[in-house]
């Protein structure tokens, strides 16, 4: 295009190789940039130019300084092109940008989007990175590094779900849209967990030689500084994340703790570190260690206080009055359920007890009393929901991985599964007709349920990640415990179609008014 023609028009759009380039002639100079707004693609040729160099997209009011290249309002950076006039013609350099520069800009965009909790931008920047041919682990490792010191209490569900989303992403049969969706779920959840990350919580400094016993003692003492230095020492000595798993599992199962999160997070953290590579091991393990230090010790509560005594009695001769079957333990309190499991241990192998507990947990999920979850007049102690029931399965699945590397943890695992079954026992409906949820074709059900994960439509990551983890745990447990498989599939079917009530406006008001009245 001629320079005089462009000066007369003020702006023009040229198309080359499928790209649209906007040329702008103003009193501040001559500019060339991508015509599509990097936010949502609206043509910038329809925008407003002010001060001769500030271009505003009229769709969402994003503003770009064409001289500096800064995005003044908005997020993503607008691509500009070198432009000059030669022999009266406007020449634009459309040579491809250096891939390394594009990658670094996209990574910077990921960090900014994490801080802004900008879900759409996280997916856009991930798409830009994938278009460059980088592995999915690349932006996720960057996000792990960014989030590691922004979680006050350590590992949360975003980390736990990341390894499972990545496992789905890596399936060869998955199309590009679903692959990107999986990465978007990981990045979005990490941003949600960090809640903007304005405040950081640096880990204590220092390094000490790894010692498994000292690590467990530090966790028991809630001494983050000591535990962190030991982890750093292990990583520096060349230990990989799987090398830590036996100790992590012992720390997680040292108490009936944190509603099972500690063990689930331990197993999933190691899996994620293996997928992301050695550089991510330290931040992941430090986050996990911090979460161990802060984990609740629920076996100190009256309901579960017999845990230590039952653990001490494990394997000793006892009269088990009830047979080894799921129906024997359903409906028992946590104390009675632990006592029964301890009695079974004298004459039954742990694998057989595990299969029965899995079946019991699945039956309870299938027969969960949804009316309790939805009511507004319950007591504070009865604030249970679907996720209380799913944890018995996700905990059991993580436990199966733990005992493979540390078989001596079987007693702790099985007794803690009994705690889950006991604590949920008061909230099942034995009369519930579950026949409509029976699955005739498990393979087809698994495939369909997995596909639904990519378009779940749920606006809370805490729910969507439980759909993911529970489905995967249930499918894995169905293979390990064939007798429980029909109940597991039906339970997964019911949970996948469940109605969630996440904000209890009236219930909270009633409970807090009663609570304050007792102060």
């Amino acid at each position: 295009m001629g320079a005089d023609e462009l000066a007369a028009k003020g702006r023009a759009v040229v198309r080359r190789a499928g790209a649209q380039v906007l040329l702008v002639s103003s009193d501040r100079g001559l500019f060339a940039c991508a015509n599509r707004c990097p936010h949502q693609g609206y043509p910038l040729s329809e925008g407003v130019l002010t001060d001769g160099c500030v271009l505003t997209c009229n769709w969402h009011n994003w503003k770009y300084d064409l001289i500096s290249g800064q995005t003044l309002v908005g997020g993503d950076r607008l691509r500009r092109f070198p432009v000059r006039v030669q022999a009266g013609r406007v020449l634009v350099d459309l040579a491809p940008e250096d891939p390394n520069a594009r990658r670094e800009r996209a990574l910077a965009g990921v960090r900014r989007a994490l801080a802004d909790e900008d879900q759409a931008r996280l997916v856009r920047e991930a798409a830009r990175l994938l278009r460059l041919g980088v592995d999915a682990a690349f932006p996720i490792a960057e996000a792990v590094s960014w989030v590691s010191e922004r979680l006050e209490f350590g590992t949360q569900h975003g980390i736990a779900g990341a390894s499972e989303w990545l496992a789905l992403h890596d399936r060869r049969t998955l199309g590009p849209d679903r692959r990107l969706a999986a990465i978007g779920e990981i990045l979005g959840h990490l941003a949600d967990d960090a809640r903007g990350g304005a405040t950081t919580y640096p880990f204590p400094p220092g390094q000490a030689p790894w010692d498994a016993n000292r690590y467990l003692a530090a966790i028991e003492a809630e001494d983050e500084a000591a535990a962190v230095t030991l982890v750093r020492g292990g990583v520096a000595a060349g230990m990989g994340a799987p090398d830590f798993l036996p100790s992590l599992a012992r720390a997680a199962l040292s108490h009936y703790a944190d509603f099972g999160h500690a063990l689930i997070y331990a197993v999933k953290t190691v899996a994620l570190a293996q997928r992301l590579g050695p550089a991510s091991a330290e931040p992941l393990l430090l986050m996990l260690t911090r979460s161990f230090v802060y984990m609740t010790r629920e076996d100190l509560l009256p309901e579960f206080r017999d845990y230590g005594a039952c653990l001490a009695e494990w394997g000793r001769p006892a009269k088990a009055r009830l047979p080894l079957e799921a129906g024997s333990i359903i409906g028992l309190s946590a104390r009675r359920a632990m006592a029964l499991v301890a009695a079974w241990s004298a004459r039954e192998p742990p694998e057989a007890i595990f299969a029965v507990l899995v079946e019991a947990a699945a039956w309870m999920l299938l027969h969960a009393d949804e009316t309790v979850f939805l009511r507004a007049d319950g007591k504070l102690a009865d604030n249970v929901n679907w996720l209380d029931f799913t944890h018995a399965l996700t905990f059991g699945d993580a436990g199966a991985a733990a005992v493979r590397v540390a078989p001596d943890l079987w007693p702790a695992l099985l007794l803690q599964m009994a705690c889950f079954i006991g604590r949920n026992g008061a909230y099942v409906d034995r009369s519930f007709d579950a026949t409509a949820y029976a699955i005739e074709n498990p393979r087809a059900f698994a495939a369909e349920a997995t596909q639904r994960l990519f378009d779940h439509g749920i606006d809370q990551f805490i729910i969507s990640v439980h759909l993911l983890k529970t489905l995967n745990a249930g499918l894995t447990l169905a293979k390990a415990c064939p007798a429980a498989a029909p109940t597991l599939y039906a339970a997964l079917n019911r949970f996948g179609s469940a109605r969630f009530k996440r904000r209890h406006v009236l219930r909270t008001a009633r409970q807090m008014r009663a609570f304050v009245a007792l102060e």
Side-chain angles (χ1 to χ4, degrees):
M1 171 176 287
D4 293 341
E5 180 185 0
L6 178 60
K9 291 181 176 180
R11 66 184 69 178
V13 176
V14 295
R15 294 169 174 81
R16 292 291 185 276
Q20 293 187 20
V21 179
L22 173 63
L23 302 177
V24 175
S25 178
S26 75
D27 55 2
R28 298 290 299 277
L30 188 63
F31 307 102
C33 64
N35 187 42
R36 296 190 182 279
C37 178
H39 178 213
Q40 290 189 9
Y42 193 77
L44 292 175
S45 56
E46 301 294 327
V48 174
L49 189 68
T50 55
D51 297 328
C53 65
V54 177
L55 183 60
T56 298
C57 176
N58 287 339
W59 197 357
H60 298 104
N61 204 43
W62 282 31
K63 299 181 184 296
Y64 307 97
D65 186 326
L66 296 179
I67 293 178
S68 68
Q70 281 189 293
T71 301
L72 304 177
V73 176
D76 307 40
R77 189 177 182 89
L78 177 67
R79 185 179 179 189
R80 297 173 302 147
F81 302 94
V83 59
R84 70 181 191 277
V85 175
Q86 182 174 312
R89 303 290 295 174
V90 178
L91 302 180
V92 181
D93 184 356
L94 299 179
E97 190 177 9
D98 176 53
N100 291 329
R102 292 169 62 190
R103 184 183 65 183
E104 292 307 312
R105 188 169 66 245
L107 276 181
V110 167
R111 291 189 291 269
R112 172 65 185 272
L114 287 165
D116 292 343
E117 297 182 72
D118 188 338
Q119 308 294 333
R121 185 178 182 186
L122 285 168
V123 178
R124 285 197 302 273
E125 300 291 12
R128 289 167 181 143
L129 287 166
L130 294 183
R131 190 174 177 84
L132 291 170
V134 306
D135 184 78
F138 192 70
I140 296 168
E142 183 73 19
V144 164
S145 176
W146 181 89
V147 80
S148 62
E149 292 192 336
R150 288 175 165 85
L151 302 180
E152 182 177 4
F153 303 110
T155 302
Q156 295 186 31
H157 284 93
I159 294 294
S163 66
E164 303 207 32
W165 279 119
L166 269 174
L168 290 179
H169 167 277
D170 292 344
R171 292 186 180 182
R172 294 182 179 180
T173 57
L174 211 63
D177 291 342
R178 285 177 170 78
R179 287 177 183 269
L180 180 59
I183 299 172
E185 283 293 283
I186 296 170
L187 297 176
H189 199 159
L190 292 177
D192 188 65
D193 282 349
R195 293 177 176 84
T199 304
T200 58
Y201 307 90
F203 292 104
Q207 179 178 307
W210 169 255
D211 183 296
N213 291 329
R214 289 179 59 200
Y215 179 76
L216 294 174
I219 296 300
E220 186 65 24
E222 300 182 8
D223 185 346
E224 180 181 328
V228 161
T229 60
L230 291 166
V231 170
R232 284 205 189 94
V235 172
M239 291 177 64
D243 298 321
F244 288 91
L245 184 55
S247 297
L248 300 176
R250 292 185 203 288
L253 288 172
S254 60
H255 293 269
Y256 177 50
D258 220 24
F259 198 43
H261 288 107
L263 181 63
I264 297 167
Y265 291 172
V267 171
K268 301 306 179 185
T269 289
V270 170
L272 182 59
Q274 286 182 279
R275 178 62 177 85
L276 297 185
S280 292
E282 182 172 314
L284 285 169
L285 292 170
L286 294 186
M287 278 190 283
L288 179 66
T289 295
R290 174 171 282 173
S291 69
F292 283 172
V293 168
Y294 284 105
M295 66 184 175
T296 57
R297 316 296 173 90
E298 292 165 3
D299 50 20
L300 302 179
L301 300 175
E303 183 180 359
F304 311 108
R305 197 168 288 163
D306 287 354
Y307 172 75
C310 288
L311 194 61
E313 293 295 319
W314 190 265
R316 294 181 181 178
K319 188 175 181 179
R321 297 179 181 277
L322 297 173
L324 182 66
E325 58 187 32
S328 296
I329 198 168
I330 293 171
L332 299 184
S333 67
R335 299 177 74 174
R336 293 180 62 198
M338 285 188 287
L340 178 59
V341 169
W344 281 341
S345 73
R347 56 183 174 82
E348 303 288 354
E351 294 84 357
I353 301 174
F354 178 77
V356 166
L357 296 181
V358 166
E359 184 175 3
W363 186 93
M364 294 175 74
L365 176 58
L366 179 60
H367 291 81
D369 188 351
E370 188 178 31
T371 62
V372 176
F373 307 160
L374 301 177
R375 65 187 299 183
D377 58 351
K379 297 179 181 179
L380 191 62
D382 294 329
N383 289 356
V384 297
N385 58 54
W386 285 106
L387 305 189
D388 292 81
F389 283 76
T390 65
H391 270 232
L393 295 178
T394 53
F395 177 81
D397 178 48
V403 295
R404 282 196 290 271
V405 298
D408 62 303
L409 292 176
W410 268 117
L413 170 64
L414 297 177
L415 286 173
Q416 292 185 29
M417 290 180 71
C419 289
F420 278 105
I421 291 169
R423 76 191 298 169
N424 291 333
Y427 309 108
V428 298
D429 180 3
R430 289 178 176 270
S431 66
F432 179 74
D433 183 1
T435 55
Y437 294 99
I439 297 298
E440 295 183 1
N441 187 334
R443 179 175 294 183
F445 166 76
E448 181 182 349
T450 300
Q451 292 301 314
R452 284 201 303 268
L453 291 172
F454 294 97
D455 196 25
H456 53 71
I458 296 172
D459 64 352
Q460 290 184 306
F461 286 104
I462 189 67
I463 300 296
S464 59
V465 78
H466 277 84
L467 288 173
L468 167 72
K469 293 194 300 178
T470 305
L471 177 63
N472 286 346
L475 295 178
T476 301
L477 291 170
K479 294 178 181 178
C481 309
T487 308
L488 280 162
Y489 285 121
L492 294 175
N493 190 18
R494 187 179 182 209
F495 177 59
S497 57
R499 178 168 51 131
F500 293 93
K501 183 178 182 181
R502 290 298 296 170
R503 293 189 67 234
H504 293 266
V505 179
L506 183 57
R507 187 182 76 180
T508 300
R510 284 176 171 168
Q511 291 177 351
M512 293 306 102
R513 188 170 64 85
F515 181 83
V516 170
L518 297 174
E519 290 182 335

